[in-house]
PDB file of all heavy atoms in Angstrom:
ATOM      1  N   ASP A   1       0.797  -1.227   0.000  1.00 96.00           N
ATOM      2  CA  ASP A   1       0.000   0.000   0.000  1.00 96.00           C
ATOM      3  C   ASP A   1       0.829   1.276   0.000  1.00 96.00           C
ATOM      4  O   ASP A   1       0.273   2.369   0.196  1.00 96.00           O
ATOM      5  CB  ASP A   1      -0.935   0.009   1.216  1.00 96.00           C
ATOM      6  CG  ASP A   1      -2.262  -0.679   0.919  1.00 96.00           C
ATOM      7  OD1 ASP A   1      -2.813  -0.436  -0.166  1.00 96.00           O
ATOM      8  OD2 ASP A   1      -2.740  -1.457   1.760  1.00 96.00           O
ATOM      9  N   LEU A   2       2.112   1.185  -0.241  1.00 97.00           N
ATOM     10  CA  LEU A   2       2.944   2.393  -0.247  1.00 97.00           C
ATOM     11  C   LEU A   2       2.415   3.478  -1.191  1.00 97.00           C
ATOM     12  O   LEU A   2       2.400   4.657  -0.824  1.00 97.00           O
ATOM     13  CB  LEU A   2       4.387   2.043  -0.619  1.00 97.00           C
ATOM     14  CG  LEU A   2       5.260   1.481   0.503  1.00 97.00           C
ATOM     15  CD1 LEU A   2       6.635   1.119  -0.041  1.00 97.00           C
ATOM     16  CD2 LEU A   2       5.386   2.473   1.644  1.00 97.00           C
ATOM     17  N   PRO A   3       1.960   3.136  -2.411  1.00 96.00           N
ATOM     18  CA  PRO A   3       1.449   4.198  -3.290  1.00 96.00           C
ATOM     19  C   PRO A   3       0.203   4.885  -2.723  1.00 96.00           C
ATOM     20  O   PRO A   3      -0.079   6.034  -3.070  1.00 96.00           O
ATOM     21  CB  PRO A   3       1.119   3.454  -4.588  1.00 96.00           C
ATOM     22  CG  PRO A   3       1.929   2.199  -4.546  1.00 96.00           C
ATOM     23  CD  PRO A   3       1.984   1.825  -3.105  1.00 96.00           C
ATOM     24  N   ARG A   4      -0.548   4.192  -1.879  1.00 97.00           N
ATOM     25  CA  ARG A   4      -1.781   4.749  -1.310  1.00 97.00           C
ATOM     26  C   ARG A   4      -1.513   5.478   0.003  1.00 97.00           C
ATOM     27  O   ARG A   4      -2.193   6.445   0.327  1.00 97.00           O
ATOM     28  CB  ARG A   4      -2.806   3.634  -1.089  1.00 97.00           C
ATOM     29  CG  ARG A   4      -3.138   2.873  -2.374  1.00 97.00           C
ATOM     30  CD  ARG A   4      -3.874   1.570  -2.095  1.00 97.00           C
ATOM     31  NE  ARG A   4      -4.002   0.772  -3.305  1.00 97.00           N
ATOM     32  CZ  ARG A   4      -3.081  -0.071  -3.746  1.00 97.00           C
ATOM     33  NH1 ARG A   4      -1.951  -0.249  -3.050  1.00 97.00           N
ATOM     34  NH2 ARG A   4      -3.254  -0.736  -4.866  1.00 97.00           N
ATOM     35  N   LEU A   5      -0.530   5.007   0.743  1.00 97.00           N
ATOM     36  CA  LEU A   5      -0.201   5.624   2.027  1.00 97.00           C
ATOM     37  C   LEU A   5       0.310   7.048   1.866  1.00 97.00           C
ATOM     38  O   LEU A   5      -0.032   7.940   2.640  1.00 97.00           O
ATOM     39  CB  LEU A   5       0.867   4.799   2.740  1.00 97.00           C
ATOM     40  CG  LEU A   5       0.422   3.736   3.723  1.00 97.00           C
ATOM     41  CD1 LEU A   5       1.617   2.890   4.149  1.00 97.00           C
ATOM     42  CD2 LEU A   5      -0.255   4.345   4.935  1.00 97.00           C
ATOM     43  N   GLY A   6       1.155   7.249   0.877  1.00 96.00           N
ATOM     44  CA  GLY A   6       1.783   8.556   0.726  1.00 96.00           C
ATOM     45  C   GLY A   6       2.818   8.770   1.822  1.00 96.00           C
ATOM     46  O   GLY A   6       3.268   7.840   2.494  1.00 96.00           O
ATOM     47  N   ASP A   7       3.187  10.000   2.040  1.00 97.00           N
ATOM     48  CA  ASP A   7       4.212  10.365   3.021  1.00 97.00           C
ATOM     49  C   ASP A   7       3.583  10.401   4.420  1.00 97.00           C
ATOM     50  O   ASP A   7       2.679  11.186   4.688  1.00 97.00           O
ATOM     51  CB  ASP A   7       4.800  11.726   2.669  1.00 97.00           C
ATOM     52  CG  ASP A   7       5.962  12.118   3.579  1.00 97.00           C
ATOM     53  OD1 ASP A   7       6.382  11.283   4.408  1.00 97.00           O
ATOM     54  OD2 ASP A   7       6.432  13.259   3.473  1.00 97.00           O
ATOM     55  N   VAL A   8       4.075   9.541   5.312  1.00 98.00           N
ATOM     56  CA  VAL A   8       3.562   9.526   6.689  1.00 98.00           C
ATOM     57  C   VAL A   8       4.567  10.115   7.667  1.00 98.00           C
ATOM     58  O   VAL A   8       4.369  10.059   8.885  1.00 98.00           O
ATOM     59  CB  VAL A   8       3.187   8.095   7.119  1.00 98.00           C
ATOM     60  CG1 VAL A   8       2.064   7.554   6.253  1.00 98.00           C
ATOM     61  CG2 VAL A   8       4.398   7.161   7.093  1.00 98.00           C
ATOM     62  N   SER A   9       5.624  10.700   7.159  1.00 98.00           N
ATOM     63  CA  SER A   9       6.668  11.265   8.020  1.00 98.00           C
ATOM     64  C   SER A   9       6.084  12.285   8.991  1.00 98.00           C
ATOM     65  O   SER A   9       5.347  13.189   8.588  1.00 98.00           O
ATOM     66  CB  SER A   9       7.754  11.938   7.181  1.00 98.00           C
ATOM     67  OG  SER A   9       8.387  11.008   6.334  1.00 98.00           O
ATOM     68  N   GLY A  10       6.414  12.120  10.252  1.00 97.00           N
ATOM     69  CA  GLY A  10       5.992  13.079  11.264  1.00 97.00           C
ATOM     70  C   GLY A  10       4.585  12.897  11.790  1.00 97.00           C
ATOM     71  O   GLY A  10       4.189  13.559  12.752  1.00 97.00           O
ATOM     72  N   LEU A  11       3.808  12.004  11.179  1.00 98.00           N
ATOM     73  CA  LEU A  11       2.449  11.781  11.648  1.00 98.00           C
ATOM     74  C   LEU A  11       2.460  10.965  12.938  1.00 98.00           C
ATOM     75  O   LEU A  11       3.245  10.030  13.093  1.00 98.00           O
ATOM     76  CB  LEU A  11       1.619  11.045  10.598  1.00 98.00           C
ATOM     77  CG  LEU A  11       1.385  11.751   9.257  1.00 98.00           C
ATOM     78  CD1 LEU A  11       0.493  10.890   8.374  1.00 98.00           C
ATOM     79  CD2 LEU A  11       0.767  13.115   9.470  1.00 98.00           C
ATOM     80  N   ARG A  12       1.580  11.306  13.846  1.00 98.00           N
ATOM     81  CA  ARG A  12       1.399  10.477  15.027  1.00 98.00           C
ATOM     82  C   ARG A  12       0.353   9.424  14.697  1.00 98.00           C
ATOM     83  O   ARG A  12      -0.801   9.755  14.393  1.00 98.00           O
ATOM     84  CB  ARG A  12       0.946  11.308  16.229  1.00 98.00           C
ATOM     85  CG  ARG A  12       0.947  10.482  17.516  1.00 98.00           C
ATOM     86  CD  ARG A  12       0.561  11.263  18.735  1.00 98.00           C
ATOM     87  NE  ARG A  12       0.691  10.423  19.926  1.00 98.00           N
ATOM     88  CZ  ARG A  12       0.043  10.622  21.068  1.00 98.00           C
ATOM     89  NH1 ARG A  12      -0.782  11.653  21.179  1.00 98.00           N
ATOM     90  NH2 ARG A  12       0.218   9.807  22.083  1.00 98.00           N
ATOM     91  N   GLY A  13       0.770   8.162  14.709  1.00 98.00           N
ATOM     92  CA  GLY A  13      -0.114   7.101  14.274  1.00 98.00           C
ATOM     93  C   GLY A  13      -0.281   6.015  15.312  1.00 98.00           C
ATOM     94  O   GLY A  13       0.579   5.812  16.171  1.00 98.00           O
ATOM     95  N   VAL A  14      -1.392   5.298  15.225  1.00 98.00           N
ATOM     96  CA  VAL A  14      -1.630   4.140  16.075  1.00 98.00           C
ATOM     97  C   VAL A  14      -2.104   2.982  15.207  1.00 98.00           C
ATOM     98  O   VAL A  14      -2.937   3.159  14.318  1.00 98.00           O
ATOM     99  CB  VAL A  14      -2.652   4.438  17.193  1.00 98.00           C
ATOM    100  CG1 VAL A  14      -4.000   4.884  16.636  1.00 98.00           C
ATOM    101  CG2 VAL A  14      -2.821   3.225  18.115  1.00 98.00           C
ATOM    102  N   HIS A  15      -1.551   1.825  15.469  1.00 98.00           N
ATOM    103  CA  HIS A  15      -1.917   0.602  14.772  1.00 98.00           C
ATOM    104  C   HIS A  15      -2.786  -0.217  15.711  1.00 98.00           C
ATOM    105  O   HIS A  15      -2.295  -0.737  16.729  1.00 98.00           O
ATOM    106  CB  HIS A  15      -0.650  -0.161  14.381  1.00 98.00           C
ATOM    107  CG  HIS A  15      -0.910  -1.450  13.674  1.00 98.00           C
ATOM    108  ND1 HIS A  15       0.088  -2.342  13.375  1.00 98.00           N
ATOM    109  CD2 HIS A  15      -2.058  -2.014  13.200  1.00 98.00           C
ATOM    110  CE1 HIS A  15      -0.420  -3.393  12.767  1.00 98.00           C
ATOM    111  NE2 HIS A  15      -1.722  -3.223  12.651  1.00 98.00           N
ATOM    112  N   LEU A  16      -4.067  -0.334  15.411  1.00 98.00           N
ATOM    113  CA  LEU A  16      -4.992  -1.094  16.235  1.00 98.00           C
ATOM    114  C   LEU A  16      -4.895  -2.578  15.901  1.00 98.00           C
ATOM    115  O   LEU A  16      -4.773  -2.944  14.744  1.00 98.00           O
ATOM    116  CB  LEU A  16      -6.425  -0.605  16.021  1.00 98.00           C
ATOM    117  CG  LEU A  16      -6.712   0.855  16.384  1.00 98.00           C
ATOM    118  CD1 LEU A  16      -8.175   1.181  16.104  1.00 98.00           C
ATOM    119  CD2 LEU A  16      -6.355   1.140  17.845  1.00 98.00           C
ATOM    120  N   GLN A  17      -5.004  -3.415  16.944  1.00 98.00           N
ATOM    121  CA  GLN A  17      -4.900  -4.873  16.789  1.00 98.00           C
ATOM    122  C   GLN A  17      -3.599  -5.221  16.060  1.00 98.00           C
ATOM    123  O   GLN A  17      -3.576  -5.900  15.044  1.00 98.00           O
ATOM    124  CB  GLN A  17      -6.126  -5.419  16.056  1.00 98.00           C
ATOM    125  CG  GLN A  17      -7.441  -5.170  16.828  1.00 98.00           C
ATOM    126  CD  GLN A  17      -8.662  -5.466  16.003  1.00 98.00           C
ATOM    127  OE1 GLN A  17      -9.148  -4.597  15.273  1.00 98.00           O
ATOM    128  NE2 GLN A  17      -9.168  -6.692  16.093  1.00 98.00           N
ATOM    129  N   CYS A  18      -2.505  -4.772  16.627  1.00 98.00           N
ATOM    130  CA  CYS A  18      -1.206  -4.782  15.952  1.00 98.00           C
ATOM    131  C   CYS A  18      -0.486  -6.123  16.014  1.00 98.00           C
ATOM    132  O   CYS A  18       0.518  -6.310  15.331  1.00 98.00           O
ATOM    133  CB  CYS A  18      -0.311  -3.699  16.539  1.00 98.00           C
ATOM    134  SG  CYS A  18       0.122  -3.973  18.287  1.00 98.00           S
ATOM    135  N   HIS A  19      -0.943  -7.059  16.838  1.00 97.00           N
ATOM    136  CA  HIS A  19      -0.305  -8.359  17.010  1.00 97.00           C
ATOM    137  C   HIS A  19       1.176  -8.162  17.361  1.00 97.00           C
ATOM    138  O   HIS A  19       1.472  -7.422  18.293  1.00 97.00           O
ATOM    139  CB  HIS A  19      -0.521  -9.233  15.775  1.00 97.00           C
ATOM    140  CG  HIS A  19      -0.141 -10.669  15.962  1.00 97.00           C
ATOM    141  ND1 HIS A  19      -0.386 -11.356  17.138  1.00 97.00           N
ATOM    142  CD2 HIS A  19       0.498 -11.557  15.136  1.00 97.00           C
ATOM    143  CE1 HIS A  19       0.064 -12.596  17.032  1.00 97.00           C
ATOM    144  NE2 HIS A  19       0.598 -12.748  15.829  1.00 97.00           N
ATOM    145  N   ILE A  20       2.116  -8.769  16.634  1.00 97.00           N
ATOM    146  CA  ILE A  20       3.525  -8.697  17.031  1.00 97.00           C
ATOM    147  C   ILE A  20       4.252  -7.503  16.414  1.00 97.00           C
ATOM    148  O   ILE A  20       5.473  -7.391  16.508  1.00 97.00           O
ATOM    149  CB  ILE A  20       4.276 -10.006  16.729  1.00 97.00           C
ATOM    150  CG1 ILE A  20       4.280 -10.335  15.245  1.00 97.00           C
ATOM    151  CG2 ILE A  20       3.677 -11.151  17.537  1.00 97.00           C
ATOM    152  CD1 ILE A  20       5.167 -11.539  14.882  1.00 97.00           C
ATOM    153  N   GLY A  21       3.519  -6.602  15.768  1.00 97.00           N
ATOM    154  CA  GLY A  21       4.050  -5.284  15.468  1.00 97.00           C
ATOM    155  C   GLY A  21       4.865  -5.108  14.207  1.00 97.00           C
ATOM    156  O   GLY A  21       5.494  -4.058  14.022  1.00 97.00           O
ATOM    157  N   THR A  22       4.831  -6.068  13.276  1.00 97.00           N
ATOM    158  CA  THR A  22       5.656  -5.900  12.079  1.00 97.00           C
ATOM    159  C   THR A  22       5.161  -4.766  11.182  1.00 97.00           C
ATOM    160  O   THR A  22       5.972  -4.029  10.602  1.00 97.00           O
ATOM    161  CB  THR A  22       5.729  -7.211  11.273  1.00 97.00           C
ATOM    162  OG1 THR A  22       4.406  -7.722  11.078  1.00 97.00           O
ATOM    163  CG2 THR A  22       6.558  -8.246  12.018  1.00 97.00           C
ATOM    164  N   ASP A  23       3.854  -4.606  11.063  1.00 98.00           N
ATOM    165  CA  ASP A  23       3.332  -3.466  10.290  1.00 98.00           C
ATOM    166  C   ASP A  23       3.566  -2.161  11.048  1.00 98.00           C
ATOM    167  O   ASP A  23       3.828  -1.116  10.435  1.00 98.00           O
ATOM    168  CB  ASP A  23       1.837  -3.640  10.010  1.00 98.00           C
ATOM    169  CG  ASP A  23       1.543  -4.801   9.079  1.00 98.00           C
ATOM    170  OD1 ASP A  23       2.469  -5.262   8.383  1.00 98.00           O
ATOM    171  OD2 ASP A  23       0.393  -5.254   9.050  1.00 98.00           O
ATOM    172  N   THR A  24       3.485  -2.221  12.369  1.00 98.00           N
ATOM    173  CA  THR A  24       3.695  -1.025  13.198  1.00 98.00           C
ATOM    174  C   THR A  24       5.106  -0.488  13.015  1.00 98.00           C
ATOM    175  O   THR A  24       5.305   0.716  12.789  1.00 98.00           O
ATOM    176  CB  THR A  24       3.459  -1.348  14.686  1.00 98.00           C
ATOM    177  OG1 THR A  24       2.441  -2.319  14.835  1.00 98.00           O
ATOM    178  CG2 THR A  24       3.113  -0.092  15.460  1.00 98.00           C
ATOM    179  N   VAL A  25       6.099  -1.368  13.122  1.00 98.00           N
ATOM    180  CA  VAL A  25       7.485  -0.907  12.973  1.00 98.00           C
ATOM    181  C   VAL A  25       7.771  -0.508  11.528  1.00 98.00           C
ATOM    182  O   VAL A  25       8.619   0.359  11.277  1.00 98.00           O
ATOM    183  CB  VAL A  25       8.492  -1.971  13.464  1.00 98.00           C
ATOM    184  CG1 VAL A  25       8.252  -2.308  14.932  1.00 98.00           C
ATOM    185  CG2 VAL A  25       8.470  -3.224  12.617  1.00 98.00           C
ATOM    186  N   SER A  26       7.055  -1.101  10.588  1.00 98.00           N
ATOM    187  CA  SER A  26       7.221  -0.692   9.190  1.00 98.00           C
ATOM    188  C   SER A  26       6.796   0.759   8.997  1.00 98.00           C
ATOM    189  O   SER A  26       7.481   1.534   8.317  1.00 98.00           O
ATOM    190  CB  SER A  26       6.406  -1.604   8.277  1.00 98.00           C
ATOM    191  OG  SER A  26       6.873  -2.931   8.333  1.00 98.00           O
ATOM    192  N   LEU A  27       5.681   1.136   9.589  1.00 98.00           N
ATOM    193  CA  LEU A  27       5.224   2.528   9.507  1.00 98.00           C
ATOM    194  C   LEU A  27       6.189   3.461  10.231  1.00 98.00           C
ATOM    195  O   LEU A  27       6.430   4.593   9.799  1.00 98.00           O
ATOM    196  CB  LEU A  27       3.818   2.645  10.085  1.00 98.00           C
ATOM    197  CG  LEU A  27       2.725   1.957   9.255  1.00 98.00           C
ATOM    198  CD1 LEU A  27       1.437   1.832  10.060  1.00 98.00           C
ATOM    199  CD2 LEU A  27       2.463   2.710   7.962  1.00 98.00           C
ATOM    200  N   ALA A  28       6.771   2.982  11.331  1.00 98.00           N
ATOM    201  CA  ALA A  28       7.773   3.790  12.030  1.00 98.00           C
ATOM    202  C   ALA A  28       9.006   3.992  11.156  1.00 98.00           C
ATOM    203  O   ALA A  28       9.602   5.084  11.147  1.00 98.00           O
ATOM    204  CB  ALA A  28       8.152   3.115  13.347  1.00 98.00           C
ATOM    205  N   ARG A  29       9.383   2.960  10.426  1.00 98.00           N
ATOM    206  CA  ARG A  29      10.528   3.096   9.518  1.00 98.00           C
ATOM    207  C   ARG A  29      10.243   4.070   8.382  1.00 98.00           C
ATOM    208  O   ARG A  29      11.175   4.620   7.790  1.00 98.00           O
ATOM    209  CB  ARG A  29      10.918   1.729   8.963  1.00 98.00           C
ATOM    210  CG  ARG A  29      11.739   0.908   9.940  1.00 98.00           C
ATOM    211  CD  ARG A  29      12.229  -0.399   9.365  1.00 98.00           C
ATOM    212  NE  ARG A  29      13.317  -0.926  10.180  1.00 98.00           N
ATOM    213  CZ  ARG A  29      13.924  -2.091   9.988  1.00 98.00           C
ATOM    214  NH1 ARG A  29      13.540  -2.870   8.969  1.00 98.00           N
ATOM    215  NH2 ARG A  29      14.902  -2.478  10.774  1.00 98.00           N
ATOM    216  N   LEU A  30       8.972   4.273   8.092  1.00 98.00           N
ATOM    217  CA  LEU A  30       8.597   5.257   7.072  1.00 98.00           C
ATOM    218  C   LEU A  30       8.499   6.667   7.637  1.00 98.00           C
ATOM    219  O   LEU A  30       8.174   7.601   6.911  1.00 98.00           O
ATOM    220  CB  LEU A  30       7.269   4.855   6.433  1.00 98.00           C
ATOM    221  CG  LEU A  30       7.288   3.567   5.598  1.00 98.00           C
ATOM    222  CD1 LEU A  30       5.878   3.216   5.130  1.00 98.00           C
ATOM    223  CD2 LEU A  30       8.225   3.692   4.400  1.00 98.00           C
ATOM    224  N   GLY A  31       8.746   6.813   8.928  1.00 98.00           N
ATOM    225  CA  GLY A  31       8.815   8.140   9.525  1.00 98.00           C
ATOM    226  C   GLY A  31       7.679   8.530  10.429  1.00 98.00           C
ATOM    227  O   GLY A  31       7.684   9.629  10.997  1.00 98.00           O
ATOM    228  N   ALA A  32       6.671   7.657  10.591  1.00 98.00           N
ATOM    229  CA  ALA A  32       5.561   7.975  11.484  1.00 98.00           C
ATOM    230  C   ALA A  32       5.966   7.748  12.938  1.00 98.00           C
ATOM    231  O   ALA A  32       6.796   6.888  13.242  1.00 98.00           O
ATOM    232  CB  ALA A  32       4.345   7.120  11.147  1.00 98.00           C
ATOM    233  N   GLN A  33       5.387   8.514  13.820  1.00 98.00           N
ATOM    234  CA  GLN A  33       5.576   8.332  15.267  1.00 98.00           C
ATOM    235  C   GLN A  33       4.491   7.363  15.744  1.00 98.00           C
ATOM    236  O   GLN A  33       3.357   7.749  15.966  1.00 98.00           O
ATOM    237  CB  GLN A  33       5.452   9.674  15.996  1.00 98.00           C
ATOM    238  CG  GLN A  33       5.618   9.588  17.499  1.00 98.00           C
ATOM    239  CD  GLN A  33       5.310  10.906  18.175  1.00 98.00           C
ATOM    240  OE1 GLN A  33       5.262  11.961  17.537  1.00 98.00           O
ATOM    241  NE2 GLN A  33       5.083  10.849  19.484  1.00 98.00           N
ATOM    242  N   MET A  34       4.851   6.087  15.884  1.00 98.00           N
ATOM    243  CA  MET A  34       3.844   5.052  16.013  1.00 98.00           C
ATOM    244  C   MET A  34       3.640   4.539  17.438  1.00 98.00           C
ATOM    245  O   MET A  34       4.567   4.435  18.234  1.00 98.00           O
ATOM    246  CB  MET A  34       4.214   3.852  15.129  1.00 98.00           C
ATOM    247  CG  MET A  34       4.116   4.113  13.642  1.00 98.00           C
ATOM    248  SD  MET A  34       2.441   4.610  13.112  1.00 98.00           S
ATOM    249  CE  MET A  34       1.479   3.168  13.613  1.00 98.00           C
ATOM    250  N   SER A  35       2.368   4.204  17.698  1.00 98.00           N
ATOM    251  CA  SER A  35       1.968   3.409  18.851  1.00 98.00           C
ATOM    252  C   SER A  35       1.273   2.164  18.315  1.00 98.00           C
ATOM    253  O   SER A  35       0.777   2.146  17.193  1.00 98.00           O
ATOM    254  CB  SER A  35       1.005   4.184  19.755  1.00 98.00           C
ATOM    255  OG  SER A  35       1.583   5.378  20.229  1.00 98.00           O
ATOM    256  N   GLY A  36       1.234   1.134  19.143  1.00 98.00           N
ATOM    257  CA  GLY A  36       0.516  -0.075  18.783  1.00 98.00           C
ATOM    258  C   GLY A  36      -0.348  -0.529  19.934  1.00 98.00           C
ATOM    259  O   GLY A  36       0.002  -0.311  21.099  1.00 98.00           O
ATOM    260  N   LEU A  37      -1.479  -1.146  19.610  1.00 98.00           N
ATOM    261  CA  LEU A  37      -2.388  -1.626  20.645  1.00 98.00           C
ATOM    262  C   LEU A  37      -2.889  -3.014  20.280  1.00 98.00           C
ATOM    263  O   LEU A  37      -3.281  -3.257  19.138  1.00 98.00           O
ATOM    264  CB  LEU A  37      -3.557  -0.661  20.822  1.00 98.00           C
ATOM    265  CG  LEU A  37      -4.585  -1.014  21.902  1.00 98.00           C
ATOM    266  CD1 LEU A  37      -5.002   0.221  22.693  1.00 98.00           C
ATOM    267  CD2 LEU A  37      -5.814  -1.694  21.299  1.00 98.00           C
ATOM    268  N   ASP A  38      -2.858  -3.919  21.265  1.00 98.00           N
ATOM    269  CA  ASP A  38      -3.365  -5.272  21.046  1.00 98.00           C
ATOM    270  C   ASP A  38      -3.856  -5.824  22.380  1.00 98.00           C
ATOM    271  O   ASP A  38      -3.342  -5.436  23.439  1.00 98.00           O
ATOM    272  CB  ASP A  38      -2.265  -6.172  20.477  1.00 98.00           C
ATOM    273  CG  ASP A  38      -2.835  -7.433  19.836  1.00 98.00           C
ATOM    274  OD1 ASP A  38      -3.014  -8.432  20.556  1.00 98.00           O
ATOM    275  OD2 ASP A  38      -3.109  -7.399  18.623  1.00 98.00           O
TER     276      ASP A  38
END
């Protein structure tokens, strides 16, 4: 979904139902300030 996500740098984001966090850390690597909840 990178073409749809666009630039997430600097955004404060939360990943709901994040399980073991691989998508969460991926968004953090793209520059978002991430939290995860499970």
Side-chain angles (χ1 to χ4, degrees):
D1 272 317
L2 279 177
R4 302 166 188 86
L5 267 171
D7 185 6
V8 297
S9 298
L11 297 182
R12 188 178 184 203
V14 59
H15 179 187
L16 299 180
Q17 298 169 273
C18 65
H19 191 39
I20 61 173
T22 50
D23 293 342
T24 326
V25 301
S26 296
L27 292 166
R29 281 185 163 176
L30 293 175
Q33 179 187 344
M34 291 301 300
S35 301
L37 181 138
D38 198 272

